[in-house]
């Protein structure tokens, strides 16, 4: 019986070593301790990209920066307008560098642009300013009309497209819209400016997942920590300056 037990133990050990040798030689390992361990040295798990791959990734465009609603001309006008509302300065990047125009484009393509959560049935009455917008046009329609009128007013005032004006002239056009000095039809000039300004600020400080606030630099300018999952490790250390995190960091 003792000899039989020894023989069984020997057979089991040989099978174990044989199985281990097979995994090591064939490079087959899935999960568990095999990865990064004895077998991990055989399997080509790549921890760092090859230099050529690094260049490829570096030059790869951000898939979140793709137009979903605006035309290229409308996007260029939006880019110029939001940059004047929140221009680049010594404190940090402006709205253009922070991708605000992409944020706006994505919002207009979605439920925000379709007024999905608003009651949009008639009758329509002219409301007071504090009541907000009262009308049949969706935000995406208002925005598209507003961009067109911005260009028309620029042509009327300066004989140039809005995107071809210098910064001072662009500021004047936007100021005329804000104060309802621009005589436009269909929509309210000040109403369009208010919507543009509001969504610009949203794009500056939204999570980068939605297209704006690229690299969380909008948050950094405000020392805002973003979407932190916990503060347990620093809660007893007093005020701390920490790197912001986005929703993408938790995926």
């Amino acid at each position: 019986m003792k000899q039989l037990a020894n023989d069984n133990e020997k057979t089991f050990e040989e099978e174990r070593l044989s199985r281990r040798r097979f995994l090591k030689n064939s490079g087959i390992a899935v999960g568990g301790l095999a990865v990064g361990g004895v077998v991990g040295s055989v399997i080509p798990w790549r921890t760092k990209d090859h230099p050529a791959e690094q260049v490829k990734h570096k030059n790869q465009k951000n898939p979140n920066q793709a137009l979903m609603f605006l035309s290229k001309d409308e996007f260029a006008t939006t880019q110029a307008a939001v940059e004047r509302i929140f221009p680049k300065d010594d404190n940090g990047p402006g709205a253009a560098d922070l991708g605000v125009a992409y944020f706006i484009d994505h919002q207009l393509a979605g439920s925000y642009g379709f007024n999905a959560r608003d009651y949009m049935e008639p009758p329509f009455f002219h409301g007071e300013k504090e009541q907000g917008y009262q009308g049949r046009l969706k935000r995406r329609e208002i925005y598209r009309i507003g961009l067109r009128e911005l260009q028309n007013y620029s042509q009327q005032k300066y004989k140039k497209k809005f995107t071809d004006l210098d910064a001072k002239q662009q500021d004047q056009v936007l100021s005329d819209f804000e104060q309802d000095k621009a005589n436009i039809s269909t929509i309210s000039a000040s109403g369009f400016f208010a919507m543009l300004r509001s969504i610009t600020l949203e794009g500056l400080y939204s999570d980068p997942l939605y297209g704006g606030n690229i690299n969380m630099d909008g948050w950094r300018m405000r020392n805002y920590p973003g979407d932190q999952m916990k503060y347990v490790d620093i809660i007893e250390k007093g005020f701390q300056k920490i790197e912001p995190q986005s929703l993408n960091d938790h995926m």
Side-chain angles (χ1 to χ4, degrees):
M1 292 294 291
K2 183 176 180 181
Q3 182 63 36
L4 180 61
N6 290 337
D7 291 342
N8 289 340
E9 183 177 350
K10 183 178 180 181
T11 301
F12 176 77
E13 181 65 17
E14 288 176 349
E15 289 179 353
R16 187 179 70 83
L17 291 174
S18 177
R19 175 178 171 79
R20 182 176 177 183
R21 192 179 304 111
F22 167 75
L23 288 171
K24 184 175 181 179
N25 292 337
S26 63
I28 299 174
V30 181
L33 297 176
V35 178
V38 176
V39 183
S41 61
V42 179
I43 302 175
W45 298 109
R46 191 171 57 188
T47 56
K48 291 186 178 181
D49 288 332
H50 186 275
E53 289 295 321
Q54 292 176 357
V55 172
K56 180 181 177 182
H57 293 166
K58 184 177 181 181
N59 295 334
Q60 205 169 35
K61 290 185 178 180
N62 182 349
N64 210 18
Q65 294 182 5
L67 296 183
M68 300 178 181
F69 173 71
L70 299 173
S71 68
K72 289 185 178 180
D73 287 341
E74 290 170 337
F75 178 81
T77 304
T78 301
Q79 187 93 304
V82 299
E83 181 65 15
R84 295 317 306 153
I85 292 174
F86 194 89
K88 179 180 181 179
D89 59 18
D90 294 339
N91 295 316
D97 289 336
L98 288 171
V100 169
Y102 285 106
F103 170 84
I104 293 174
D105 170 74
H106 297 177
Q107 292 299 304
L108 293 173
S111 58
Y112 170 86
F114 283 101
N115 293 62
R117 298 185 180 183
D118 297 346
Y119 183 79
M120 298 291 291
E121 298 298 325
F124 299 104
F125 299 99
H126 181 72
E128 300 297 329
K129 283 189 175 182
E130 58 269 17
Q131 290 179 302
Y133 172 70
Q134 307 284 317
R136 68 179 72 249
L137 293 176
K138 296 180 175 62
R139 291 188 187 95
R140 58 187 1 228
E141 296 169 327
I142 295 173
Y143 195 87
R144 183 153 272 167
I145 293 171
L147 290 178
R148 185 175 68 242
E149 294 292 355
L150 202 64
Q151 293 284 29
N152 291 341
Y153 186 74
S154 299
Q155 290 281 6
Q156 175 189 333
K157 191 176 182 71
Y158 295 109
K159 309 303 181 189
K160 293 180 181 179
K161 295 195 302 183
F162 182 80
T163 48
D164 292 334
L165 302 179
D166 60 36
K168 186 176 181 180
Q169 291 171 330
Q170 289 177 342
D171 286 348
Q172 186 59 57
V173 169
L174 291 173
S175 178
D176 288 352
F177 266 68
E178 181 183 20
Q179 300 172 44
D180 270 327
K181 291 181 179 179
N183 185 20
I184 65 175
S185 59
T186 310
I187 65 171
S188 159
S190 62
F192 169 68
F193 177 82
M195 185 178 78
L196 178 62
R197 181 181 182 277
S198 176
I199 198 171
T200 296
L201 295 176
E202 290 174 20
L204 290 169
Y205 302 119
S206 67
D207 193 282
L209 184 68
Y210 301 104
N213 188 19
I214 292 177
N215 296 326
M216 299 178 283
D217 287 336
W219 287 346
R220 285 190 176 88
M221 286 190 286
R222 295 285 184 177
N223 289 325
Y224 178 66
D227 185 49
Q228 300 286 332
M229 294 297 287
K230 59 184 178 65
Y231 297 93
V232 175
D233 53 337
I234 63 170
I235 198 169
E236 295 181 354
K237 297 180 181 179
F239 289 102
Q240 300 284 318
K241 186 174 181 178
I242 56 179
E243 273 293 292
Q245 289 186 338
S246 97
L247 293 169
N248 274 321
D249 294 326
H250 308 307
M251 291 183 176

